[in-house]
Amino acid sequence: YEVGLTWRSWLAILFSACFLMPIVLFYQLVAGQSGIDPAVYITAILFSEIARLFGSQMKKQEVCVIFNTVGQAVAGTAFLGLLFNGYLTISPLTSMFVDPFTKRPMNELIPWWYAPPRDSEVYILRTFFHSDWLGPIIVLALFSVFGLLQNIPLTMISAQLYIETENLPFPLASIDASIIETLAERSPVRTLAFTLSGIVGLIWGFITYTVPAVSQGIYGLPATIIPIPWADLTHWTEQVIPGAAIGFATDLMPYMWGMFLPGSIIAWMVISSVAIWIVGNNLVLKVFPSSFPKWAEEYTQGMNISLIYQRSTLWVWASPFIGLTIAVGIYPMVKHYKAIVQSFRSLSHLSLSSRRAGYLPLKVLMAMYVAGSIGSIALFYYCIPDFPLYIVIILVAVYSFFMSLITGRMVGETGFSISVPYVWQASILASGYPKIDAWLLAPPIITGTPVATLKVFQLTETRPMDFFKAWVLILPLSLVMSFIYVSLFWSMAPIPSGFYPATSINWPVSVIQTGIWATRQINIFRPNLILWSMIIVFVIAAVFDFLPIPFSLMGFAVGTTMLPPTSFAFLIGYLIGKYFSICSQL
């Protein structure tokens, strides 16, 4: 391993935070989309070119650090989130929701740690430089620090288990490693392929995104040539298979990813995706409507894929997904418990490769994790002392630990992971806690770590500790720059407002969703479905263990949360890759 966090890579990170973060934030405020990926490529290409102009080519280790840390530096969403909290506090929509516990409007019950009170002058002055913001800012900063103390050891433990000990493939990490080596070494063949693919992507992106945006600005109507993000076929299929989410992805990325994944994983991703979003949605609508009355009531012909996905997840699949994720986490542990025990024992005595990578011993990592967990739990308890403490302890300390290991294995085997929906909401409803404040502050529940990034570091021979050092340095930098730029945008115009169109569309919807949950107008969790989904997954996995058929439990699990347009794109990409592979061998 070689050092990647040098003065040049650190200068690139500073540049991105200072000069690209405002672009990313403005793009999010105006278009409602993340501009993080373009910022990463801009920074990596710009600084590698500057180094070449000065006759000092950047090492691939430096490019690796830039490529994998700039995204954290430019995100800048911390204070944008605080600003949304303030909007929720003063929004007229919030007053429409009445707390069933106190019988008072929701906007009268906003706590001090969430946002300034609705009569505060900060909303007139449009500034963070006010004592009313002190509480929310301190809570934000402390949760960020405690979350980092939890994330670092979980990432290192996952890396030692899945990279150093089991050496899982992490199929998508090779893509990033190849891009990094291309930018650093500039071999003629790779550079030509990189340039040509960049031109193809530029043309596709121009047709897909720029033409509709320009026509919208000039003529008031978007001239959509390529539908985004998929070609929706539900209006053709709803007569035969009502409720099915059928279409083809128009984003090129899934097609590319499909070229790098094993065929057995893609096959099971497609099978489970079709089973849930096509067959399952139709069955519960036509055969079991009385078991899922809300879905049967809401479904109407003409619903597009997005609406089908949102409403069927809410009324049908939220509980089964929880059970599925629990089963997917438990089954490999039961099946391979000896190997897992041996792996954790080996962590207490670092291997030679782990010591070379700079990973910390297990005792140190567990001490960091316990410290971060205690800090998060204590801060949450200080803000909401009446909430059942045992639930917070289970979610923050236990659930986060095992969920990070589960998703780490998923990413290591398939390149993707799944996210269990509405975990905190289910916890509140199950606890019987009546107040609104718990709906406004979720404890830091970690559902995944950037362990795949460390695989990229390994492939590019970059010292993994450089990632963690950059992570620590970026946290205060990102908070400070987010404070500065969000303050600047807020002083220019109210947020939300017509000057920032995406906020005018999305923020009111988010307020309504929060109000519906907080006032108990939705209860989507059914313990029987959670239990049955766990049993079904256990049975499927156990049966295939005795059959001579390749089975990927992780691929099956990832596919359940993947819409058919995306899973079909993976399959098409895999077939295209196979075709060119066969042609190259002839």
Side-chain angles (χ1 to χ4, degrees), residues 21 28 31 133 150 191 259 270 313 315 337 339 365 400 414 432 547 555 572:
M21 181 187 288
Q28 186 169 346
W133 278 113
Q150 291 176 273
T191 301
M259 299 179 185
V270 173
T313 297
W315 299 121
Y337 74 95
L365 296 178
S400 293
T414 70
L547 295 178
I572 293 170

Side-chain angles (χ1 to χ4, degrees), residues 443-497:
I445 304 170
I446 299 170
T447 58
T449 61
V451 62
T453 298
L454 298 185
K455 183 66 174 182
V456 177
F457 272 59
Q458 182 195 58
L459 294 174
T460 57
E461 301 170 340
T462 307
R463 191 174 63 180
M465 276 303 295
D466 286 356
F467 173 73
F468 296 104
K469 290 179 180 178
W471 201 352
V472 172
L473 292 171
I474 285 171
L475 176 61
L477 174 66
S478 178
L479 288 174
V480 170
M481 300 312 296
S482 176
F483 175 85
I484 292 172
Y485 286 120
V486 173
S487 297
L488 179 62
F489 287 130
W490 194 21
S491 67
M492 292 168 58
I495 303 177
S497 68

Side-chain angles (χ1 to χ4, degrees), residues 417-539:
S417 65
I418 63 176
S419 176
V420 182
Y422 311 119
V423 171
W424 179 238
Q425 290 90 334
S427 302
I428 298 174
L429 293 172
S431 70
Y433 184 75
K435 298 181 182 179
I436 276 178
D437 51 7
W439 297 94
L440 303 177
L441 181 68
I445 304 170
I446 299 170
T447 58
T449 61
V451 62
T453 298
L454 298 185
K455 183 66 174 182
V456 177
F457 272 59
Q458 182 195 58
L459 294 174
T460 57
E461 301 170 340
T462 307
R463 191 174 63 180
M465 276 303 295
D466 286 356
F467 173 73
F468 296 104
K469 290 179 180 178
W471 201 352
V472 172
L473 292 171
I474 285 171
L475 176 61
L477 174 66
S478 178
L479 288 174
V480 170
M481 300 312 296
S482 176
F483 175 85
I484 292 172
Y485 286 120
V486 173
S487 297
L488 179 62
F489 287 130
W490 194 21
S491 67
M492 292 168 58
I495 303 177
S497 68
F499 192 75
Y500 305 111
T503 59
S504 297
I505 298 171
N506 298 330
W507 283 23
V509 174
S510 297
V511 168
I512 293 172
Q513 291 174 342
T514 303
I516 290 173
W517 279 110
T519 53
R520 312 305 198 274
Q521 297 182 41
I522 288 182
N523 188 352
I524 61 175
F525 304 103
R526 300 166 64 176
N528 61 322
L529 291 181
I530 295 174
L531 179 61
W532 275 109
S533 61
M534 289 176 59
I535 294 173
I536 290 171
V537 172
F538 266 105
V539 170

Side-chain angles (χ1 to χ4, degrees), residues 12-313:
I13 294 171
L14 283 173
F15 165 83
S16 64
C18 295
F19 297 102
L20 297 183
M21 181 187 288
I23 299 173
V24 172
L25 283 172
F26 187 73
Y27 188 52
Q28 186 169 346
L29 291 168
V30 172
Q33 300 181 19
S34 171
I36 292 177
D37 287 345
V40 170
Y41 280 93
I42 289 170
T43 306
I45 294 173
L46 176 63
F47 275 81
S48 62
E49 284 297 322
I50 291 174
R52 287 170 63 85
L53 289 174
F54 281 92
S56 177
Q57 185 171 313
M58 293 193 80
K59 300 187 301 180
K60 64 181 178 181
Q61 289 81 9
E62 293 175 306
V63 178
C64 179
V65 169
I66 293 172
F67 195 83
N68 288 286
T69 59
V70 163
Q72 301 173 31
V74 301
T77 56
F79 280 85
L80 201 57
L82 283 186
L83 199 55
F84 171 78
N85 296 352
Y87 169 69
L88 183 143
T89 302
I90 63 173
S91 173
L93 295 171
T94 311
S95 62
M96 297 168 57
F97 295 96
V98 177
D99 175 28
F101 178 64
T102 62
K103 310 301 181 184
R104 295 169 58 190
M106 183 176 165
N107 61 352
E108 295 181 4
L109 304 173
I110 304 298
W112 60 269
W113 41 257
Y114 185 75
R118 56 194 178 122
D119 57 353
S120 173
E121 62 181 352
V122 300
Y123 302 113
I124 299 174
L125 300 175
R126 300 207 304 270
T127 180
F128 285 115
F129 291 96
H130 196 283
S131 59
D132 287 348
W133 278 113
L134 190 60
I137 291 174
I138 291 175
V139 170
L140 169 68
L142 288 176
F143 270 130
S144 299
V145 172
F146 294 143
L148 187 63
L149 279 174
Q150 291 176 273
N151 263 294
I152 288 176
L154 289 178
T155 306
M156 282 197 185
I157 290 172
S158 297
Q160 292 184 52
L161 284 174
Y162 304 135
I163 297 176
E164 303 296 340
T165 304
E166 297 188 44
N167 195 27
L168 295 181
F170 289 87
L172 299 185
S174 60
I175 301 176
D176 286 349
S178 178
I179 293 171
I180 290 165
E181 291 175 354
T182 299
L183 292 174
E185 298 171 0
R186 300 300 176 92
S187 66
V189 175
R190 284 189 172 187
T191 301
L192 177 61
F194 182 83
T195 304
L196 291 176
S197 61
I199 292 172
V200 171
L202 183 65
I203 294 172
W204 188 271
F206 180 82
I207 296 172
T208 306
Y209 299 102
T210 306
V211 171
V214 171
S215 64
Q216 174 79 35
I218 297 176
Y219 302 108
L221 292 172
T224 302
I225 300 173
I226 300 174
I228 308 170
W230 43 58
D232 196 325
L233 302 181
T234 53
H235 61 287
W236 298 99
T237 62
E238 62 186 8
Q239 300 294 335
V240 180
I241 319 176
I246 300 178
F248 286 96
T250 55
D251 186 354
L252 297 181
M253 291 301 292
Y255 297 94
M256 182 192 73
W257 288 332
M259 299 179 185
F260 294 86
L261 294 178
S264 61
I265 290 177
I266 289 181
W268 284 106
M269 287 167 61
V270 173
I271 289 171
S272 59
S273 175
V274 170
I276 294 294
W277 303 108
I278 295 180
V279 178
N281 270 7
N282 180 255
L283 278 179
V284 297
L285 190 65
K286 304 302 291 185
V287 181
F288 307 106
S290 59
S291 300
F292 303 93
K294 286 288 187 180
W295 170 235
E297 177 185 333
E298 285 197 6
Y299 176 78
T300 56
Q301 290 193 353
M303 290 178 70
N304 57 25
I305 291 178
S306 296
L307 281 174
I308 290 173
Y309 171 67
Q310 293 170 14
R311 308 318 293 178
S312 63
T313 297

